[in-house]
Amino acid sequence: MTTFLLVHGAWHSGAAWDRVVPLLESAGHRVLAPSLTGYGDKKHLLSPETGLDTHVQDIVDLLRDEKDVVLVGHSYAGLVISSAANELPDRVAELVYLDAMVPEHGETAVDVQPISQNLIDLAARQGDGWRVPPMPEQPAPFGLFGVTDPADVEWLRGMLSDQPVRCLQQPVRLDNPAARAIPRTHIHCVGTTPKGIIRRPVPALQPNGTPSQVWELPTGHDCMITMPVELSELLLKLA
């Protein structure tokens, strides 16, 4: 039995994984899909002090009681799982970057995805300056985070919360040599990429010296909603 720890991206909640969790569990595995501080059942905890460090601590607190975890981070959560694995590398069997930000030591979301600065500027101009509202739905084929089915869009919209600016400004810590030994897999959603979103090329070799493992799904960004079966099949290859 493998333990999967699924970490949602910016604006989302743990409910984003609702179609994936039962598929992994039915294959005999244990699945954790928490909402990070400020989202879902923790929405009331959202504050100007909520940042990347807060979310890293959320995951570190869960990892302390686990071992041999397949740690999956979607989108912004690529930063979260990177720093969490840096803190407790002995608890992580595999890192999975699911259409995710892949940082270097000391980088922020703005460094990895420069369009994030536009969101920070927008928050300063149109809001209270410390939080960014969810991205609006875009014309087809992009939809809402790559989700285009009307019923799915409505469901997704209901789980979204504001994203604190501190999440985009705090740097990751990747200074633990032991974390470099963790195997890692990259899953790219290649169906649609909104204008301004830049996917960094995956290096030929991972920090652990092994060839990069890259899989692709022909769908938009929120593949856990649009292609849960196919995503689950890929994750099960790591069990």
Side-chain angles (χ1 to χ4, degrees):
M1 181 186 73
T2 296
T3 295
F4 290 91
L5 176 47
L6 311 178
V7 187
H8 64 81
W11 297 290
H12 292 55
S13 75
W17 304 103
D18 280 1
R19 295 177 180 176
V20 174
V21 171
L23 297 174
L24 298 178
E25 289 180 336
S26 66
H29 302 291
R30 182 166 171 262
V31 186
L32 304 173
S35 290
L36 298 172
T37 296
Y39 308 96
D41 59 339
K42 300 176 184 174
K43 184 176 180 179
H44 62 288
L45 299 176
L46 188 74
S47 78
E49 287 70 45
T50 305
L52 174 62
D53 290 350
T54 310
H55 295 156
V56 171
Q57 193 61 50
D58 288 340
I59 301 307
V60 166
D61 288 343
L62 288 174
L63 285 176
R64 291 191 193 281
D65 297 324
E66 304 295 337
K67 63 179 181 179
D68 298 328
V69 172
V70 175
L71 184 56
V72 182
H74 177 242
S75 196
Y76 154 77
L79 306 179
V80 179
I81 66 170
S82 296
S83 277
N86 188 74
E87 295 296 316
L88 293 174
D90 59 319
R91 301 294 197 272
V92 182
E94 181 96 21
L95 286 168
V96 181
Y97 293 89
L98 178 57
D99 219 36
M101 297 183 183
V102 184
E104 300 289 344
H105 174 63
E107 287 189 326
T108 67
V110 173
D111 296 318
V112 179
Q113 195 63 262
I115 196 175
S116 300
Q117 185 60 52
N118 296 345
L119 302 177
I120 294 172
D121 296 341
L122 181 65
R125 291 195 307 269
Q126 299 184 0
D128 49 25
W130 67 266
R131 55 184 169 179
V132 181
M135 301 287 284
E137 185 176 354
Q138 300 181 58
F142 304 118
L144 184 63
F145 296 102
V147 177
T148 56
D149 178 86
D152 288 347
V153 168
E154 193 64 25
W155 175 60
L156 173 57
R157 187 181 289 115
M159 77 174 71
L160 300 179
S161 301
D162 292 345
Q163 176 80 354
V165 166
R166 281 174 67 90
C167 296
L168 308 177
Q169 295 177 324
Q170 288 186 321
V172 299
R173 289 187 57 189
L174 303 177
D175 54 1
N176 187 344
R180 297 174 63 85
I182 301 172
R184 53 200 68 200
T185 293
H186 301 261
I187 302 176
H188 290 166
C189 299
V190 298
T192 54
T193 302
K195 183 179 180 181
I197 301 297
I198 302 171
R199 180 181 292 115
R200 278 187 173 179
V202 176
L205 292 179
Q206 299 290 358
N208 56 27
T210 63
S212 293
Q213 178 166 255
V214 182
W215 296 328
E216 295 183 346
L217 287 172
T219 187
H221 186 55
D222 277 8
C223 59
M224 71 286 295
I225 294 175
T226 57
M227 297 188 76
V229 173
E230 293 83 354
L231 173 58
S232 297
E233 289 174 348
L234 291 180
L235 293 177
L236 288 171
K237 293 181 180 181
L238 304 173

